[in-house]
PDB file of all heavy atoms in Angstrom:
ATOM      1  N   VAL A1760       2.086  28.879  -5.182  1.00 91.00           N
ATOM      2  CA  VAL A1760       2.468  29.967  -4.300  1.00 91.00           C
ATOM      3  C   VAL A1760       2.691  31.248  -5.028  1.00 91.00           C
ATOM      4  O   VAL A1760       3.208  31.204  -6.166  1.00 91.00           O
ATOM      5  CB  VAL A1760       3.748  29.564  -3.500  1.00 91.00           C
ATOM      6  CG1 VAL A1760       4.305  30.688  -2.669  1.00 91.00           C
ATOM      7  CG2 VAL A1760       3.537  28.321  -2.650  1.00 91.00           C
ATOM      8  N   THR A1761       2.366  32.351  -4.440  1.00 88.00           N
ATOM      9  CA  THR A1761       2.487  33.645  -5.066  1.00 88.00           C
ATOM     10  C   THR A1761       3.966  33.891  -5.476  1.00 88.00           C
ATOM     11  O   THR A1761       4.883  33.418  -4.838  1.00 88.00           O
ATOM     12  CB  THR A1761       1.959  34.752  -4.125  1.00 88.00           C
ATOM     13  OG1 THR A1761       2.255  36.001  -4.664  1.00 88.00           O
ATOM     14  CG2 THR A1761       2.680  34.695  -2.751  1.00 88.00           C
ATOM     15  N   ALA A1762       4.132  34.784  -6.484  1.00 86.00           N
ATOM     16  CA  ALA A1762       5.482  35.106  -6.882  1.00 86.00           C
ATOM     17  C   ALA A1762       6.018  36.272  -6.012  1.00 86.00           C
ATOM     18  O   ALA A1762       7.241  36.555  -6.080  1.00 86.00           O
ATOM     19  CB  ALA A1762       5.462  35.653  -8.380  1.00 86.00           C
ATOM     20  N   SER A1763       5.266  36.845  -5.166  1.00 90.00           N
ATOM     21  CA  SER A1763       5.705  37.948  -4.297  1.00 90.00           C
ATOM     22  C   SER A1763       6.678  37.463  -3.331  1.00 90.00           C
ATOM     23  O   SER A1763       6.381  36.504  -2.484  1.00 90.00           O
ATOM     24  CB  SER A1763       4.485  38.521  -3.545  1.00 90.00           C
ATOM     25  OG  SER A1763       4.929  39.420  -2.546  1.00 90.00           O
ATOM     26  N   SER A1764       7.905  37.972  -3.264  1.00 91.00           N
ATOM     27  CA  SER A1764       8.953  37.574  -2.341  1.00 91.00           C
ATOM     28  C   SER A1764       8.578  37.817  -0.936  1.00 91.00           C
ATOM     29  O   SER A1764       8.872  37.016  -0.023  1.00 91.00           O
ATOM     30  CB  SER A1764      10.322  38.168  -2.716  1.00 91.00           C
ATOM     31  OG  SER A1764      10.163  39.613  -2.632  1.00 91.00           O
ATOM     32  N   ARG A1765       7.805  38.960  -0.645  1.00 92.00           N
ATOM     33  CA  ARG A1765       7.442  39.225   0.718  1.00 92.00           C
ATOM     34  C   ARG A1765       6.435  38.210   1.187  1.00 92.00           C
ATOM     35  O   ARG A1765       6.570  37.681   2.299  1.00 92.00           O
ATOM     36  CB  ARG A1765       6.758  40.632   0.733  1.00 92.00           C
ATOM     37  CG  ARG A1765       6.310  41.049   2.119  1.00 92.00           C
ATOM     38  CD  ARG A1765       5.585  42.406   2.092  1.00 92.00           C
ATOM     39  NE  ARG A1765       4.350  42.267   1.250  1.00 92.00           N
ATOM     40  CZ  ARG A1765       3.228  41.725   1.794  1.00 92.00           C
ATOM     41  NH1 ARG A1765       3.152  41.297   3.019  1.00 92.00           N
ATOM     42  NH2 ARG A1765       2.128  41.740   1.023  1.00 92.00           N
ATOM     43  N   GLN A1766       5.467  37.810   0.357  1.00 92.00           N
ATOM     44  CA  GLN A1766       4.437  36.831   0.789  1.00 92.00           C
ATOM     45  C   GLN A1766       5.045  35.456   0.912  1.00 92.00           C
ATOM     46  O   GLN A1766       4.679  34.691   1.817  1.00 92.00           O
ATOM     47  CB  GLN A1766       3.353  36.855  -0.169  1.00 92.00           C
ATOM     48  CG  GLN A1766       2.478  38.143  -0.157  1.00 92.00           C
ATOM     49  CD  GLN A1766       1.305  38.142  -1.179  1.00 92.00           C
ATOM     50  OE1 GLN A1766       1.313  37.336  -2.120  1.00 92.00           O
ATOM     51  NE2 GLN A1766       0.321  38.996  -0.964  1.00 92.00           N
ATOM     52  N   ARG A1767       6.015  35.156   0.017  1.00 91.00           N
ATOM     53  CA  ARG A1767       6.616  33.841   0.192  1.00 91.00           C
ATOM     54  C   ARG A1767       7.487  33.709   1.427  1.00 91.00           C
ATOM     55  O   ARG A1767       7.403  32.653   2.091  1.00 91.00           O
ATOM     56  CB  ARG A1767       7.586  33.569  -1.073  1.00 91.00           C
ATOM     57  CG  ARG A1767       6.851  33.438  -2.366  1.00 91.00           C
ATOM     58  CD  ARG A1767       7.870  33.379  -3.538  1.00 91.00           C
ATOM     59  NE  ARG A1767       8.573  32.206  -3.570  1.00 91.00           N
ATOM     60  CZ  ARG A1767       8.185  31.104  -4.242  1.00 91.00           C
ATOM     61  NH1 ARG A1767       7.087  31.119  -5.000  1.00 91.00           N
ATOM     62  NH2 ARG A1767       8.916  30.005  -4.217  1.00 91.00           N
ATOM     63  N   GLN A1768       8.108  34.763   1.851  1.00 92.00           N
ATOM     64  CA  GLN A1768       8.863  34.767   3.080  1.00 92.00           C
ATOM     65  C   GLN A1768       7.861  34.661   4.269  1.00 92.00           C
ATOM     66  O   GLN A1768       8.214  33.968   5.303  1.00 92.00           O
ATOM     67  CB  GLN A1768       9.711  36.018   3.258  1.00 92.00           C
ATOM     68  CG  GLN A1768      10.661  35.989   4.413  1.00 92.00           C
ATOM     69  CD  GLN A1768      11.592  34.827   4.404  1.00 92.00           C
ATOM     70  OE1 GLN A1768      12.252  34.575   3.404  1.00 92.00           O
ATOM     71  NE2 GLN A1768      11.654  34.067   5.518  1.00 92.00           N
ATOM     72  N   GLU A1769       6.742  35.305   4.148  1.00 93.00           N
ATOM     73  CA  GLU A1769       5.737  35.235   5.213  1.00 93.00           C
ATOM     74  C   GLU A1769       5.185  33.826   5.334  1.00 93.00           C
ATOM     75  O   GLU A1769       4.979  33.326   6.497  1.00 93.00           O
ATOM     76  CB  GLU A1769       4.539  36.204   4.920  1.00 93.00           C
ATOM     77  CG  GLU A1769       3.528  36.218   6.032  1.00 93.00           C
ATOM     78  CD  GLU A1769       2.444  37.209   5.702  1.00 93.00           C
ATOM     79  OE1 GLU A1769       2.590  37.982   4.833  1.00 93.00           O
ATOM     80  OE2 GLU A1769       1.343  37.155   6.391  1.00 93.00           O
ATOM     81  N   ILE A1770       5.052  33.142   4.244  1.00 93.00           N
ATOM     82  CA  ILE A1770       4.606  31.724   4.257  1.00 93.00           C
ATOM     83  C   ILE A1770       5.650  30.880   5.007  1.00 93.00           C
ATOM     84  O   ILE A1770       5.322  30.030   5.829  1.00 93.00           O
ATOM     85  CB  ILE A1770       4.370  31.151   2.892  1.00 93.00           C
ATOM     86  CG1 ILE A1770       3.100  31.825   2.248  1.00 93.00           C
ATOM     87  CG2 ILE A1770       4.251  29.665   2.815  1.00 93.00           C
ATOM     88  CD1 ILE A1770       2.902  31.520   0.792  1.00 93.00           C
ATOM     89  N   VAL A1771       6.938  31.003   4.591  1.00 91.00           N
ATOM     90  CA  VAL A1771       8.024  30.254   5.187  1.00 91.00           C
ATOM     91  C   VAL A1771       8.003  30.498   6.765  1.00 91.00           C
ATOM     92  O   VAL A1771       8.178  29.547   7.531  1.00 91.00           O
ATOM     93  CB  VAL A1771       9.390  30.669   4.552  1.00 91.00           C
ATOM     94  CG1 VAL A1771      10.558  30.082   5.362  1.00 91.00           C
ATOM     95  CG2 VAL A1771       9.397  30.197   3.133  1.00 91.00           C
TER      96      VAL A1771
END
Side-chain angles (χ1 to χ4, degrees):
V1760 176
T1761 173
S1763 166
S1764 57
R1765 180 186 64 81
Q1766 291 179 342
R1767 292 173 72 92
Q1768 188 58 52
E1769 184 177 346
I1770 290 172
V1771 171

